[in-house]
Amino acid sequence: SLSHERKQRGAEAWTLHLLGELHARPDPPEVEHAEDHYRQALAFAEELAMRPLLAHCHLGLGTLYARLARRAEARAELSAAIALYRAMEVTFWLPQAETALSALEQLGRATRDDRILARVYSRLGELSEDPTLGATFYTELARALERLGDRNAREAYRAAVKKPAKLFTAIRGLARAADLRGDARAMAQA
């Protein structure tokens, strides 16, 4: 019957996920096998609308990529996992995914790579449900962009100021960015 077939395919999807986990755990991980199994499990999960499995696969891939220092891919996968866990209100796995994304932030700080920090802070600002925390992340994003000489620092400070918390540091940063650009109107707005 169709339901029997669907159950078998669902079990196969979970098995592929577990195989991905097994290949991702050794040191060094068996990257090709782990990625292949996770991707196959993702395909089944999407087809069968198995959202918890989708989230677990994204978390597994994100963790694997973080171990391999493939930061952009890790951030994308972990962000996808966090978004799915939040949408499903799955609070058990959410901290693990958030911790992994936070670890990427710490890696960026340890290596003083402001490009990594900017990407991570941007994503954390978007994902944050706490206005004060979101403003803090956007302020840190702006600081990283300033160190990179990126003109978007001003917009990041504006995003921080728009949060209900309106951190003083963000307002001061917005004024500094306006002053550096010689923008008197923006300075007055800050």
Side-chain angles (χ1 to χ4, degrees):
S1 76
L2 185 60
S3 65
H4 181 71
E5 180 183 320
R6 187 173 171 90
K7 284 181 186 175
Q8 285 181 338
R9 295 179 75 213
E12 184 177 355
W14 279 106
T15 301
L16 287 165
H17 170 262
L18 289 174
L19 287 170
E21 291 283 316
L22 289 172
H23 288 288
R25 290 197 187 264
D27 193 16
E30 299 167 4
V31 179
E32 288 181 30
H33 293 297
E35 281 181 307
D36 184 48
H37 291 300
Y38 279 134
R39 296 279 176 221
Q40 287 180 46
L42 274 170
F44 273 115
E46 286 175 6
E47 181 183 331
L48 299 172
M50 299 172 69
R51 290 174 51 201
L53 180 57
L54 277 171
H56 289 327
C57 288
H58 285 297
L59 177 60
L61 282 168
T63 304
L64 173 66
Y65 293 149
R67 283 181 64 197
L68 299 171
R70 289 165 56 178
R71 295 178 186 116
E73 292 168 288
R75 185 176 35 81
E77 295 294 343
L78 291 170
S79 295
I82 289 168
L84 283 164
Y85 288 135
R86 281 197 177 143
M88 295 181 293
E89 298 179 4
V90 175
T91 57
F92 181 80
W93 291 99
L94 186 59
Q96 184 178 346
E98 289 173 331
T99 299
L101 190 58
S102 180
L104 276 177
E105 172 193 353
Q106 291 171 357
L107 180 62
R109 281 186 178 171
T111 61
R112 287 288 182 210
D113 190 336
D114 285 319
R115 291 173 306 212
I116 294 170
L117 288 172
R119 288 191 300 263
V120 171
Y121 284 131
S122 174
R123 193 62 183 144
L124 288 171
E126 292 169 12
L127 294 172
S128 179
E129 294 176 359
D130 178 341
T132 304
L133 194 56
T136 302
F137 288 136
Y138 282 125
T139 301
E140 291 300 321
L141 166 63
R143 287 179 176 162
L145 291 174
E146 273 187 318
R147 289 189 297 270
L148 291 169
D150 190 318
R151 290 182 173 261
N152 291 319
R154 188 169 135 201
E155 296 308 314
Y157 279 124
R158 276 195 177 144
V161 172
K162 286 180 184 175
K163 293 284 184 180
K166 295 185 181 176
L167 294 178
F168 177 72
T169 308
I171 295 168
R172 191 176 59 205
L174 183 58
R176 187 175 60 243
D179 185 42
L180 289 172
R181 294 183 65 196
D183 188 343
R185 196 174 107 220
M187 185 80 163
Q189 288 176 341

